[in-house]
Amino acid sequence: MTNSKMSLWSFVSDMPPERFSNLFEEFPRNLRCLLGEWLENQPWEFINRSDTFCAFLAASLLSAMMERLQDLANKIGQPGPVLQLIANVENRYRREPLQLVGVIKRILEREYAAVQEQFQHLPLSIQRQREELMFRFSLQKLQYRVQEIQALRENLGQMNGSTRVPLQLNSLDSQFSTQENLQGTTLQNLQSMFLNTVNELEEAKKVMLVRLLIWKRQQQLAGNGTPFDEDLTPLQKRLENLVDVCFQLRLQLASSGIELQSRLQERLDNVFSALIKNSFLVDKQPPQVLKTQTKFQATIRFLLGPQLLKPPHTSFIVVADIVTEKQAREIVASHPGAVFNESTGEIVNNTAPLETNATSNACCALFKNMLLKKIKRCDRKSTESVTEEKCAILFSANVSLGPNETNFHLQALSLPIVVIVHGNQDNNAKATILWDNAFAEPTRIPFVVAERVSWDKMCETLNQKFMAEVQTTKGLLDQHYFFLAQKIFDDNATTPEEFQKRPVSWSQFNKEMLPGRGFTFWQWFEGVLDLTKKYLKDYWSDRLIMGFVSKQYVFSCLNNAPVGTFLLRFSDSEIGGISIAYVTYFQNGSTQVENIQPFTSKQLCIRSLADCVMDLSQLETLYLDRPKHEAFGRHYNKEKPTKTPYVPATLKISVGPTSLYPSPSILNPADSMNNLHGQPVMLSDPASHEQMIMIQPTMDMSPSMRTSYGNQQLLPELMPHQYSLGNASPLGPMETYAMPQDVDMMDCISELTPTYPRDLQLCVVPSMIKMPDTISPPSDEDLDFLLNPEHNLNHCCEDPA
């Protein structure tokens, strides 16, 4: 259903025929099946009048249908019965083709309703197809009207140049006054036809501007990862067709002599100007989080350039300036011809020529090496940070079109940009852009965005961002949304259905710290994103990670599971961590659920998650009931032997038992070969005779990074740490705790002995978790399509900035 190329017939053909009973009494179902997609690719539903154009189009469609059916019938084995059905349809509707249009419309409406009922909405591919048909119908009607005007004007010219009236009126030849009346009537008809056609052209222009607005909105949503068809060629053809109609009407109007000629000419000029100015847009956006002193690119496209800027012509230059939010508002609100003269920063390499590529037929200005040298900060609200300040890049050009060299000032604003000067601002700047991209209205004042949005819209945004960043087709699930809602609202008592109706604010998203934490919701979520896309993509795509769930939910899953059952969840207390919860024996013989201290990117860049799971003998079965070697087998690192004079060394993970106090032996570095209960932490192989740990070649082992320890050389991360005596260990405090703070696994290898074995084991201590509340998953959110057949077109009548 998500395939954009799927048609209405591809859905209908899979439905049982009885679903459409009594629908094919006036048009045989066999012919509907034979026509397939062709039938829905014609503008039947838009033929809703009995004027000359609709009658002409209905007759043309009937003829095209008969021709296509006969060709298809001749290709089947026994065409006789089908040809008889075709003949019956032709005989029935030849004199009244509009009746056939009504029959086909009823069939298609019933099929649309069936698909709507089955999927709760019309697939996007069908909506795009209908929108394309609507424009095609409008364009055909305009072209037909131009031909009618031309024929009527030529008829009027013949009347003015001859003493005789056309042959069909020869009974009035001798009546000069009647001929004068006829000329007056024809002139009135011509004026009325001009008025109607210009009205229809203005409506087509509004639809065109709405379509461009939709493209721009889709481009903005693509900044959050929404799939986006960025090809502008179909829209360029639409604009060119409308400009052609506009030119033809201007030519016919110039020699018409009607009373409203000057007024109609002004209206046509306004249509032409609006089409030109809206066809100048940002094809490839600059980065929305822009760091000063960093090069970036952008592409501006003039859709009507190939049609209007025919060579030879003057090379026009596009200029880029950075503007504040206040300046952007002034640009949009000012007179369309107003020129912007004040920049709020300095952009190096901010000019590019507007050129047409003969191969792609695209007129573009390519900015390849722009650099924001400096930025002037504007006044902000007391509660706003610098990463909430939005600006934009204004692209502008002056072009001269037509034989009269008419000047047009073209402007296009980029999407909102947050300028940063340091990498530590990147995370918060991304939050500002994510919120703006997701929840901005297409016709807003720059760059106003809602302070509160519904939680279900927030879920849709987080899901799309997650799939796009991780590059996976496996999105978030109901239990994930429930946990995220509990986290952002700090509420464990509300049901999933109630969460969907609750609004979430920008402050809750990325200004207020989460309870008991030193970071915001977005900072935590973005940390999970970064960890998953770098180290956990394949595990997530294979659904090996349960992910966004609470410890209480984990307990409800594992409470009655066999010993050795485990699952993986993202750390709730640390940015960018993943923890393993598993079932083990308690000291009195009963079972309990414990959490291993989280793995972060620092550990996973050394040893993969699958290898960590393989190392831990306590982990046997992935929840629900999947042996770990079956689940993680394809992700194990199978190192190929390499020629080296050294004995290879590997790191391995181990889990020690929970204890209230550390063993005294651990306090003595000389006894560090034993863990809390005397079990080995690092195992030495007698065959190991090298006195150096060998790091994989992919790691940077430049001399400047090595640090000597005795007669060994280790990376700084592997250097032994000094610990104070008392209640201390290489793992930190060993007290039993219910909701542990996640710690760095590298602390586990701090107590190293002077002799280094071939296999190093990193001891990671689990912790107990609290009892859960009753949890029920939320329902699926509804999809919200951008392409809605019912558009409010009034707001698109004005010229853009």
Side-chain angles (χ1 to χ4, degrees), residues 90-214:
E90 184 173 15
N91 293 334
R92 183 171 185 174
Y93 299 111
R94 174 57 64 187
R95 293 185 178 181
E96 295 292 339
L98 286 172
Q99 290 185 3
L100 174 65
V101 171
V103 171
I104 300 300
K105 285 173 68 173
R106 286 193 292 273
I107 293 174
L108 292 176
E109 287 173 359
R110 182 81 169 271
E111 292 177 347
Y112 283 133
V115 174
Q116 175 93 22
E117 180 182 353
Q118 180 167 338
F119 298 109
Q120 306 304 314
H121 58 77
L122 284 178
L124 186 58
S125 58
I126 295 178
Q127 296 196 50
R128 286 177 174 171
Q129 181 187 51
R130 295 176 71 186
E131 190 266 341
E132 178 66 33
L133 287 174
M134 182 178 68
F135 178 81
R136 191 197 310 171
F137 175 80
S138 299
L139 180 62
Q140 289 176 337
K141 183 167 61 173
L142 282 170
Q143 293 168 340
Y144 184 85
R145 297 287 187 243
V146 171
Q147 293 177 2
E148 283 188 318
I149 288 174
Q150 182 176 357
L152 193 58
R153 191 184 60 80
E154 290 175 354
N155 193 14
L156 184 61
Q158 291 176 1
M159 292 180 185
N160 292 333
S162 173
T163 58
R164 296 184 59 84
V165 191
L167 292 178
Q168 64 268 29
L169 302 173
N170 56 12
S171 60
L172 305 175
D173 274 2
S174 60
Q175 303 179 23
F176 180 79
S177 60
T178 304
Q179 179 176 338
E180 189 177 31
N181 293 336
L182 182 61
Q183 289 177 342
T185 302
T186 304
L187 193 61
Q188 289 179 356
N189 291 340
L190 182 62
Q191 178 168 296
S192 177
M193 193 170 294
F194 263 117
L195 284 170
N196 292 334
T197 305
V198 171
N199 288 338
E200 291 172 355
L201 177 61
E202 288 175 335
E203 290 300 316
K205 179 209 71 173
K206 292 178 183 178
V207 173
M208 185 70 246
L209 299 191
V210 169
R211 190 60 188 86
L212 286 171
L213 204 63
I214 290 173

Side-chain angles (χ1 to χ4, degrees), residues 570-624:
F570 296 126
S571 172
D572 184 44
S573 58
E574 180 173 334
I575 295 179
I578 186 169
S579 179
I580 302 176
Y582 69 102
V583 182
T584 185
Y585 284 112
F586 199 54
Q587 294 178 351
N588 61 5
S590 61
T591 61
Q592 67 178 5
V593 177
E594 295 183 341
N595 275 344
I596 297 177
Q597 294 167 349
F599 302 95
T600 64
S601 58
K602 187 181 294 185
Q603 293 87 45
L604 294 180
C605 71
I606 298 174
R607 190 155 181 80
S608 73
L609 179 65
D611 290 343
C612 292
V613 171
M614 177 182 63
D615 292 342
L616 300 176
S617 59
Q618 293 88 346
L619 311 182
E620 299 177 1
T621 306
L622 180 67
Y623 181 82
L624 289 164

Side-chain angles (χ1 to χ4, degrees), residues 368 402 497 503 575 629 635 675:
K368 297 181 180 179
E497 292 75 19
I575 295 179
H629 292 295
H635 301 289
N675 70 358

Side-chain angles (χ1 to χ4, degrees), residues 208-239:
M208 185 70 246
L209 299 191
V210 169
R211 190 60 188 86
L212 286 171
L213 204 63
I214 290 173
W215 185 90
K216 292 177 182 179
R217 178 60 183 146
Q218 290 174 326
Q219 184 189 51
Q220 185 175 19
L221 288 173
N224 287 355
T226 302
F228 172 48
D229 182 6
E230 59 186 352
D231 184 14
L232 281 165
T233 302
L235 297 183
Q236 177 173 316
K237 291 179 180 178
R238 290 191 186 187
L239 284 164

Side-chain angles (χ1 to χ4, degrees), residues 239-530:
L239 284 164
E240 291 172 347
N241 287 328
L242 289 180
V243 168
D244 281 337
V245 170
C246 194
F247 280 159
Q248 294 172 26
L249 281 174
R250 291 170 73 177
L251 289 174
Q252 296 297 329
L253 185 62
S255 55
S256 64
I258 61 176
E259 294 180 3
L260 298 178
Q261 182 173 348
S262 60
R263 174 56 184 154
L264 291 174
Q265 183 67 49
E266 182 182 353
R267 291 172 63 183
L268 288 176
D269 289 344
N270 290 337
V271 170
F272 181 61
S273 177
L275 294 177
I276 287 178
K277 293 178 179 180
N278 278 274
S279 70
F280 188 78
L281 45 78
V282 184
D283 186 3
K284 306 295 182 184
Q285 292 283 342
Q288 290 188 264
V289 176
L290 184 57
K291 190 173 182 292
T292 55
Q293 304 298 326
T294 303
K295 290 184 177 181
F296 63 98
Q297 300 179 350
T299 302
I300 306 304
R301 185 162 174 177
F302 184 28
L303 296 178
L304 287 174
Q307 183 184 28
L308 301 178
L309 301 179
K310 297 293 185 182
H313 63 78
T314 305
S315 179
F316 301 109
I317 300 298
V318 181
V319 180
D321 295 289
I322 191 162
V323 296
T324 65
E325 181 174 336
K326 180 181 178 181
Q327 290 170 327
R329 294 180 185 181
E330 293 173 352
I331 292 169
V332 172
S334 64
H335 188 273
V339 179
F340 175 76
N341 294 317
E342 181 184 0
S343 178
T344 190
E346 181 181 348
I347 299 179
V348 180
N349 299 324
N350 68 328
T351 61
L354 194 59
E355 299 174 329
T356 300
N357 186 304
T359 303
S360 63
N361 195 36
C363 181
C364 298
L366 306 179
F367 293 85
K368 297 181 180 179
N369 294 297
M370 284 192 291
L371 181 142
L372 181 59
K373 190 173 182 180
K374 60 182 180 180
I375 181 74
K376 299 177 185 177
R377 297 294 183 183
C378 63
D379 295 333
R380 297 184 301 275
K381 299 177 182 178
S382 58
T383 58
E384 287 183 344
S385 66
V386 68
T387 55
E388 295 177 83
E389 179 183 337
K390 291 177 282 189
C391 56
I393 296 180
L394 174 68
F395 299 93
S396 58
N398 292 307
V399 299
S400 302
L401 303 177
N404 297 328
E405 296 293 324
T406 305
N407 293 322
F408 288 90
H409 182 66
L410 307 179
Q411 293 180 327
L413 279 171
S414 74
L415 291 174
I417 289 173
V418 174
V419 177
I420 62 174
V421 296
H422 195 280
N424 60 12
Q425 298 173 316
D426 184 73
N427 183 284
N428 291 330
K430 286 180 179 178
T432 300
I433 294 301
L434 180 77
W435 187 278
D436 191 273
N437 285 346
F439 309 121
E441 294 293 334
T443 57
R444 65 171 174 176
I445 299 172
F447 296 107
V448 175
V449 66
E451 280 291 325
R452 292 179 176 272
V453 297
S454 63
W455 174 244
D456 60 338
K457 288 184 178 180
M458 187 78 255
C459 289
E460 182 181 345
T461 298
L462 294 176
N463 181 51
Q464 193 61 65
K465 184 67 174 178
F466 187 91
M467 290 195 297
E469 286 288 323
V470 179
Q471 296 183 344
T472 178
T473 58
K474 302 299 175 63
L476 305 184
L477 304 175
D478 293 344
Q479 65 264 29
H480 299 151
Y481 296 133
F482 188 33
F483 168 69
L484 293 174
Q486 290 176 320
K487 190 173 186 69
I488 199 170
F489 293 119
D490 188 28
D491 183 352
N492 295 324
T494 302
T495 64
E497 292 75 19
E498 291 173 331
F499 274 136
Q500 285 188 329
K501 303 174 184 178
R502 181 180 294 187
V504 59
S505 68
W506 161 249
S507 294
Q508 290 171 314
F509 181 67
N510 195 48
K511 286 183 74 71
E512 301 171 1
M513 296 296 177
L514 292 173
R517 309 296 184 212
F519 44 80
T520 67
F521 174 85
W522 164 252
Q523 290 169 347
W524 171 81
F525 186 85
E526 204 271 339
V528 171
L529 270 183
D530 188 67

